[in-house]
Each structure stands twice: as structure tokens, then as C-alpha cells.
Amino acid sequence: MALAFLYKAHYFFINFSFIFLLGFFVVFLSFSSPNQSSLLSFPPPSTHPDGCRSVESLHDAKTKCFYIKTHHPCDTSGYIDYLNFFYCGIGFSPLLGHVVLVLWLLILLYLLGNTASQYFCPSLEGLSRVLNLSPTIAGVTLLSLGNGAPDVFSTIVSFDGAAAVGLSSVLGGAFFVSTVVVGVVSICCSSRCRVVVIDRVGFIRDLCFFLFTLFFLLLILSVGKVHILLSIMFVSLYILYVIVVSTSHCYRKEHAELGSPLLESIEVEQPTVQSQESKKIVKFSPLLDRVLFLLELPLYLPRRLTIPVVTEENWSKPFAVASMILSPNLLAILWNSRKGEMDSQESIIIFLFAALIGIALGIIAIVRTESSQPPKFILPWLAAGFLMSVVWTYLIAGELVSLLVSIGHILGIRPSVLGVTVLAWGNSLGDLIANVAMAVNGGENGAQIAIAGCYAGPIFNILVGLGMSLLFSSLASLPQPFLIPKDSSQFVIIGFLIGGLLWALVFLSRKQMKLNRSLGVGLIAIYSCFLCLRLLESLELV
């Protein structure tokens, strides 16, 4: 019941905050001057986030407002001009401005995770079934992509003008998961007087590959620039990891050293816990459920009307038809807004073409689907759902990065510091909750799955998320190499991260691979030392 109450409170807070901010912006824009009404705008070409550092040395809001209006480097790549809003629109009340930005930050973090879990992951699970992938291959490819979607898209988006944020975010997330999450899982298992023995071969394999990935990344950061060939090699390391995992799985299965496949145990145990909690939540209060449903509509409808969903429990023919009609139009709006030309002849042609495609797809959906069940041939629907969930995740991640860069300018904190803390924590909170729940409720297999995910997930985020970011940036900078922003703090993060991995490797090897409280306390202490160092650095004491 306590978990159900917390779930309701979290849901109510997020949705009520969005309603409050929506009403606030409507009232604000209604009474604002023509100059202030331009706070909502289409994204300008991406600029370097350090181009506006001079605004931090100014004192009063009017001076800062004049500065950001006359200096284009202050523009961010989001759809909202946060600096203009904070200094020009609401400069009379900095406290109110901070409250609005913090609430909007929480909403964006929620939307990023919720879009990945409610729309992106179901599409991946459906594709896994349709493509008949083995549990092992699905686990290290589609499952990792589903779990790491917020980190991957945040990293890719941030490299379009704020590479330091993306680099700090993916390393901060990997550090948080491999220390704090593993530490909490170890403490929770030991507190229940359970002896949990981790699989030695799988643990050493994942951890050694993790270390190899970090040393390769250290080499790239030391060089300070990356060519397209080097970025391709970095991404290809994940293909090598998939091959190693699949080969070891097949070998051990043949020699009867491994029980049921990893994902089969997930499918057996995890839904039981979720279904029990969902029943408690549903029975909590019917009236509160209706209130929450009404509050959720502004956040729910835009995504539901543009992302096709073909799962049995969420199938709805009206929504399916609407998503096929509206999704091409949303793509056209985003394409034209990125080009900054909404009323040109080319943009109008793109809008008309998207509208025709949407109408055609809507007619096909009406004719070929039934109200009672999803279509039998679901591959096109899954592909469309996958594409649109990627678009929404990318859109939300871009706005989130833009907000963090702006908050960094407002507070005088480097955006990379916010990336390694706020963004990393927001993206990793789901890993903390899911892995701890799996370890506590899933028995020894659950703890094994949780620990494995704490290392396999960061490997995916670094090699695929950061690797694809480097690859895209290298392609965009051809024929010149892509210059990586110089930041000595990245070496500090990797140093602490390697220290945490070595601590876990040595400790578990000496304790016969048994999880206990000392392992967890040591890992959390390592992460705490890192946070203290970053705090002292931010205060310019170090």
C-alpha cells in the first residue's frame, strides 16, 4: 500500500506540475509584451554552450536580458528560450523563475523515461518476437536499447552543440549505476540474510569488457579528436561484445553449466511483482484514478495520438487510425522547424505531402484493422511505433539538454557538472528502482540479473550512445576530425569509475562472489568521494 501511495503521489505531482506550468505560460504570454512573446520559438542553429559564459559575470537582470538579446551565442537548441524567459520575462522574481525551471526539468525527466518505457520498449519487445531473436541476443541488443534509450538519445542530442554535457551524462550514468545501484543491491540482499552468489564467469566477462571500453575511451579523450574510422571502431566494439556474450552463452548451455536463459527468468518473475503492485494501485481509489486520468491527458494525448501502439492490452482502433494520420504531419512540423522555415514554399509542399501520406495511411488503417484486436501482420505497425517513439524521445532529450545548459548559465555551473549529476541521476533512477526490485523479489536469479544489468547497460550506453554520437559528429565535420571538448573532469570520472570496478572485482573474488554489505558500502563511499570532489571543484576550492 505504501508503494501504491508513493506511485500515486508521484503521478499526481508530475501531472499537476505540468498543468500549473501550462496555465502559467498561457497567462504569461497573454500579458507579455511582443518582445517577450518570442520566448517560444523554433530552434536556431546549434551554438557552442560556452559562448554565453560572459552573462554570468553580469549582475542585474536587465543587463543580462540586454546581453542575451544582442548575443546570438546565447541561443540554445531547444524550442523554449529559457534564458530569455528567466531574465527578460520573469526577471522581477528569480525565485519564481527557479521554481518554474525545476518543475519543467522534473517533467522532462519523467517524459523521457515514460516515453521509453511505455512506447519505445513495447515496440522493441514486439520486434524481438516477430524477428524470433534468441533471449541472449535480444537481451544484449533490443533489451539494452530499451533500457538505455534515455541515456543514448540524451547523449546523441547533446553532441549537437553541447558535447561536454553528453559525455559527462553517459559517464556519470555509468558511474552511478556501477557503484550506487550495485551497492544498494548488495546491501538489500545482505539485509535480508540471503547468501547471493554471483556467476563468476559472466561477472568477470562483463567487468573486463567494461574496463577495456573505458581504456579505449581514455585513448580517444587523450588524443582529443576522433576520425570517422576511429568512431566506427568504437561502435563496433559492442558488436564484439554481443558475439562474446552469445558465444559464451552457447558454450555453457552445451556443457549444462547454465540453467534457463536470462530473459526467460525475467519473463517468469518480473510480471508477477508488477501485476501484484498494479492491482494494489488500481484498487487504491477509483475517484483518484479518474482525477489522475484527467490530469494526465495533456501529457498523454500528444504521444498517444502520434505513436502507433499494437499491444493486446493497449490496442485501440481510433487511436491507431489517428496515429497513422498525425504521425507524418508531426514529422513534417519537426523537419521544417529544424530548418527554421515554416512558411516557405518548400515547407508548404512538405506539409501537403505529409498530409496526403497521413490520409492514405489512415484509410488503410480503417480498412485493414478491427476494433477488437490488433492486426495480425504487425511488423509495419511495430516499425512505425519504433520510429515515432524514437522521434519523441529525441525531441524530449533535446529540450532537456537545452534546459540543463541554460540552468548552468543561470546558476554559474558548468553544464558538464549538471550532466554528470542531474541528467545522469534522472536517466539512472529507473535502473535503480528496477534492479533493486528485481534483486529483492526475484531470488538469486533476480540478483544475478540485476548485477549483470548494472554492467551490461553502461557498456551499451558508452559504446552505442557515445559511439554513435562520435560517429555522427565525425561525419558532420568531414573532412576534418571532430574535436572533443577538453575537460579534465572527464578523466576524473573515468578514474573513479575504474576504481569502483576494480573494487568490485577484487572484493567479490576474495569473497567467493558473494554479495554483502561491505561491498555496497565501499562502492557508495567511492561515489560519495567523487561527488565531494566535484562539489569542491564547483566552489573553486579545488
Side-chain angles (χ1 to χ4, degrees):
M1 184 62 69
L3 181 60
F5 177 78
L6 291 176
Y7 176 85
K8 291 288 187 181
H10 159 264
Y11 224 55
F12 178 82
F13 176 77
I14 292 295
N15 289 282
F16 180 79
S17 298
F18 181 75
I19 296 294
F20 166 76
L21 292 183
L22 187 63
F24 175 82
F25 275 110
V26 170
V27 174
F28 176 79
L29 293 176
S30 300
F31 291 94
S32 62
S33 62
N35 292 331
Q36 293 175 342
S37 62
S38 62
L39 297 177
L40 299 176
S41 60
F42 295 113
S46 57
T47 55
H48 196 279
D50 291 336
C52 197
R53 303 301 298 185
S54 299
V55 74
E56 300 170 13
S57 61
L58 304 177
H59 300 286
D60 58 289
K62 291 184 178 180
T63 307
K64 293 181 178 181
C65 175
F66 177 78
Y67 182 90
I68 63 176
K69 284 186 175 181
T70 55
H71 289 72
H72 293 290
C74 288
D75 293 334
T76 55
S77 58
Y79 285 86
I80 300 176
D81 190 344
Y82 297 104
L83 294 177
N84 191 4
F85 163 76
F86 188 85
Y87 291 121
C88 303
I90 202 170
F92 60 89
S93 179
L95 177 61
L96 180 59
H98 284 101
V99 171
V100 170
L101 294 183
V102 169
L103 289 178
W104 184 234
L105 174 64
L106 296 176
I107 292 171
L108 289 177
L109 288 172
Y110 164 79
L111 285 175
L112 189 63
N114 183 260
T115 302
S117 62
Q118 298 298 321
Y119 299 98
F120 189 73
C121 290
S123 299
L124 291 179
E125 293 172 2
L127 288 173
S128 176
R129 290 192 299 268
V130 170
L131 298 176
N132 197 26
L133 297 178
S134 67
T136 303
I137 298 297
V140 296
T141 54
L142 297 183
L143 184 62
S144 296
L145 179 59
N147 292 338
D151 305 84
V152 170
F153 288 107
S154 298
T155 307
I156 294 176
V157 169
S158 63
F159 266 69
D160 185 18
V165 177
L167 190 57
S168 300
S169 171
V170 70
L171 290 176
F175 188 31
F176 181 86
V177 171
S178 62
T179 53
V180 175
V181 177
V182 174
V184 173
V185 168
S186 302
I187 293 173
C188 289
C189 291
S190 62
S191 64
R192 293 191 166 220
C193 300
R194 291 165 46 198
V195 178
V196 178
V197 181
I198 300 299
D199 175 52
R200 180 183 296 272
V201 175
F203 175 80
I204 295 179
R205 176 201 63 208
D206 293 341
L207 194 141
C208 289
F209 204 94
F210 198 172
L211 288 171
F212 175 72
T213 299
L214 293 176
F215 284 121
F216 198 105
L217 180 59
L218 272 176
L219 175 63
I220 295 177
L221 294 178
S222 300
V223 174
K225 57 184 178 181
V226 56
H227 297 270
I228 185 171
L229 181 60
L230 186 60
S231 59
I232 292 176
M233 290 176 58
F234 191 65
V235 176
S236 301
L237 288 179
Y238 194 75
I239 300 177
L240 177 62
Y241 176 66
V242 173
I243 295 174
V244 170
V245 172
S246 302
T247 303
S248 62
H249 173 81
C250 295
Y251 176 81
R252 298 177 67 190
K253 190 174 182 180
E254 290 177 359
H255 290 74
E257 294 180 3
L258 190 64
S260 60
L262 180 64
L263 291 189
E264 288 184 5
S265 62
I266 295 179
E267 293 174 356
V268 171
E269 297 171 1
Q270 190 172 1
T272 303
V273 178
Q274 292 178 343
S275 61
Q276 292 174 355
E277 294 298 336
S278 62
K279 290 179 181 179
K280 294 179 183 179
I281 293 172
V282 169
K283 295 180 180 179
F284 188 76
S285 172
L287 178 60
L288 186 57
D289 285 337
R290 294 184 179 182
V291 173
L292 287 176
F293 175 75
L294 294 176
L295 289 176
E296 187 189 13
L297 286 180
L299 291 176
Y300 172 78
L301 281 180
R303 292 175 294 163
R304 190 67 173 90
L305 290 172
T306 53
I307 304 178
V309 178
V310 288
T311 56
E312 289 283 350
E313 59 274 14
N314 294 322
W315 170 252
S316 170
K317 183 172 181 178
F319 276 119
V321 174
S323 64
M324 300 306 288
I325 295 175
L326 297 177
S327 55
N329 294 276
L330 175 61
L331 293 177
I333 293 174
L334 296 178
W335 176 266
N336 289 330
S337 66
R338 280 294 168 183
K339 296 178 63 177
E341 300 175 354
M342 297 294 293
D343 54 355
S344 64
Q345 184 177 3
E346 180 183 356
S347 299
I348 295 175
I349 294 175
I350 293 176
F351 281 131
L352 292 177
F353 185 67
L356 291 176
I357 294 178
I359 293 174
L361 293 176
I363 294 175
I364 295 175
I366 293 174
V367 175
R368 301 299 298 271
T369 59
E370 301 177 3
S371 302
S372 57
Q373 60 182 1
K376 296 181 179 179
F377 184 62
I378 63 173
L379 183 58
W381 290 89
L382 291 173
F386 175 81
L387 172 63
M388 294 309 300
S389 60
V390 166
V391 169
W392 269 100
T393 306
Y394 193 87
L395 179 66
I396 296 168
E399 201 63 34
L400 179 59
V401 171
S402 175
L403 176 58
L404 284 177
V405 172
S406 300
I407 291 177
H409 290 313
I410 293 172
L411 299 180
I413 301 174
R414 286 187 300 172
S416 60
V417 176
L418 295 176
V420 79
T421 52
V422 178
L423 186 55
W425 295 338
N427 290 339
S428 303
L429 187 59
D431 299 84
L432 175 62
I433 297 173
N435 289 343
V436 171
M438 176 64 69
V440 171
N441 300 298
E444 186 170 348
N445 286 336
Q448 174 66 51
I449 294 168
I451 295 297
C454 290
Y455 295 110
I459 291 174
F460 177 86
N461 294 339
I462 293 175
L463 292 179
V464 177
L466 185 56
M468 293 301 294
S469 303
L470 294 173
L471 178 58
F472 293 152
S473 300
S474 301
L475 289 172
S477 61
L478 284 176
Q480 301 296 324
F482 173 69
L483 299 179
I484 301 176
K486 294 183 178 181
D487 189 351
S488 59
S489 63
Q490 311 301 343
F491 296 93
V492 176
I493 301 174
I494 296 178
F496 272 94
L497 183 51
I498 292 175
L501 296 177
L502 293 177
W503 166 261
L505 177 62
V506 173
F507 189 92
L508 286 176
S509 299
R510 292 174 61 89
K511 297 294 183 180
Q512 291 76 45
M513 307 305 293
K514 296 178 182 178
L515 296 179
N516 61 32
R517 184 181 299 271
S518 299
L519 170 65
V521 172
L523 290 173
I524 295 177
I526 292 174
Y527 189 81
S528 300
C529 291
F530 167 76
L531 286 184
C532 292
L533 182 61
R534 293 311 301 261
L535 177 61
L536 294 175
E537 182 184 0
S538 300
L539 297 176
E540 298 182 352
L541 297 178
V542 176

